[in-house]
Amino acid sequence: MALSLALALIALVLVCAIIQRVAGMGLRIVFAPYAVVLIGAHEGIMLANFLGGLMPIVMLPRIWSQIEWDKVLWLGLPAVAVMPGAAWLSSISPPGPLYLVVASLVLLSLVISVLMARVATTVDGRTAQVVTGFGIGMGTVLGGVGGPAATVYAVLSRWPALPMVATLQPLWMLVSMVSFGTKWAWDDGQLPDMPWWVWVAMLAAVVASVGLGELVQKRLRESGIQRLVLVLGCVGASLSLWPGLRLLMD
């Protein structure tokens, strides 16, 4: 692996991990599309899922008291249930059109959520959580990003920022581990072959991001965090279009 590529991946991990500490998501929603471009589709998504499960473990001791465990259950179980089928679909479908369909649906959902956020309607409850869980599971396996579906739910349910950030972490742990396992089984997924020092540097970046992210978070109001979540959802969905377009042009 070239030194410039390794340093770019390490820097990307640090930036995305800081964003995740602030907004509850970021290590996959921003990292995955860039990683796919830098190191390839399968390895990029596998690395995103691996790091997406590692970051919450580091964060958990600082956010444990704010986790809403009922939402972890109702979002997590549907996500896990749909993942084996999504992994099978990924293994038999041409990846280019699949990426485009997933990203287009996510962008449409985000546009609808932005429009609905301007009215007083609140969409929440078990049905909304189950549907969101399905979206998180499908997005995580097919494109390495479950964040846009969580963004739509956060906007429509008026989810307060700090409990949202905390609750999403065990959810990301769960879906990352299941996605990693299902893609390994169905899709011959594998982690990228990188020097040992790159792995150590990535781990150090994840650990350092917790403190750095907390400093940033203290300077933002709740409305600022919510806007950041919405922007990340749009950015992640837009960037997810790139792998599909690239594969179709090859």
Side-chain angles (χ1 to χ4, degrees):
M1 172 178 284
L3 179 61
S4 58
L5 176 58
L7 294 177
L9 283 172
I10 294 166
L12 186 61
V13 169
L14 178 61
V15 171
C16 293
I18 291 173
I19 294 173
Q20 176 146 334
R21 180 61 189 92
V22 175
M25 59 187 75
L27 232 174
R28 277 192 304 266
I29 203 171
V30 179
F31 179 82
Y34 284 109
V36 163
V37 174
L38 290 172
I39 59 177
H42 292 289
E43 288 81 2
I45 292 175
M46 290 293 282
L47 181 59
N49 283 322
F50 175 77
L51 294 173
L54 178 63
M55 176 67 187
I57 295 175
V58 178
M59 289 175 58
L60 275 181
R62 311 292 286 269
I63 60 173
W64 186 269
S65 62
Q66 294 179 311
I67 297 173
E68 298 175 349
W69 289 103
D70 60 326
K71 288 185 178 179
V72 175
L73 177 68
W74 287 97
L75 293 169
L77 290 182
V80 169
V82 79
M83 281 180 167
W88 173 79
L89 180 63
S90 175
S91 69
I92 65 169
S93 301
L98 200 59
Y99 279 135
L100 291 177
V101 170
V102 172
S104 299
L105 289 175
V106 169
L107 282 172
L108 178 62
S109 299
L110 287 167
V111 170
I112 294 172
S113 71
V114 170
L115 294 176
M116 290 191 65
R118 298 179 179 273
V119 300
T121 304
T122 298
V123 179
D124 201 356
R126 299 307 184 208
T127 300
Q129 291 167 7
V130 169
V131 172
T132 301
F134 285 146
I136 290 173
M138 293 288 289
T140 300
V141 173
L142 297 178
V145 285
T151 300
V152 172
Y153 172 73
V155 171
L156 298 183
S157 66
R158 309 298 197 270
W159 200 354
L162 295 183
M164 176 201 67
V165 171
T167 302
L168 287 177
Q169 303 317 304
L171 179 65
W172 297 145
M173 286 176 57
L174 176 64
V175 299
S176 293
M177 290 187 294
V178 176
S179 176
F180 188 89
T182 52
K183 287 190 72 65
W184 194 291
W186 283 107
D187 206 17
D188 295 327
Q190 60 182 4
L191 288 169
D193 183 16
M194 299 186 296
W196 66 269
W197 63 268
V198 177
W199 290 104
V200 172
M202 285 184 175
L203 176 60
V206 168
V207 173
S209 70
V210 176
L212 294 173
E214 288 179 359
L215 292 176
V216 175
Q217 190 180 56
K218 290 176 181 178
R219 297 178 179 273
L220 292 177
R221 296 180 179 179
E222 180 164 313
S223 59
I225 296 174
Q226 291 172 339
R227 283 194 291 270
L228 177 59
V229 169
L230 188 57
V231 169
L232 286 174
C234 293
V235 169
S238 300
L239 290 175
S240 296
L241 288 170
W242 172 245
L245 292 172
R246 186 170 64 89
L247 288 170
L248 286 179
M249 291 185 294
D250 287 344

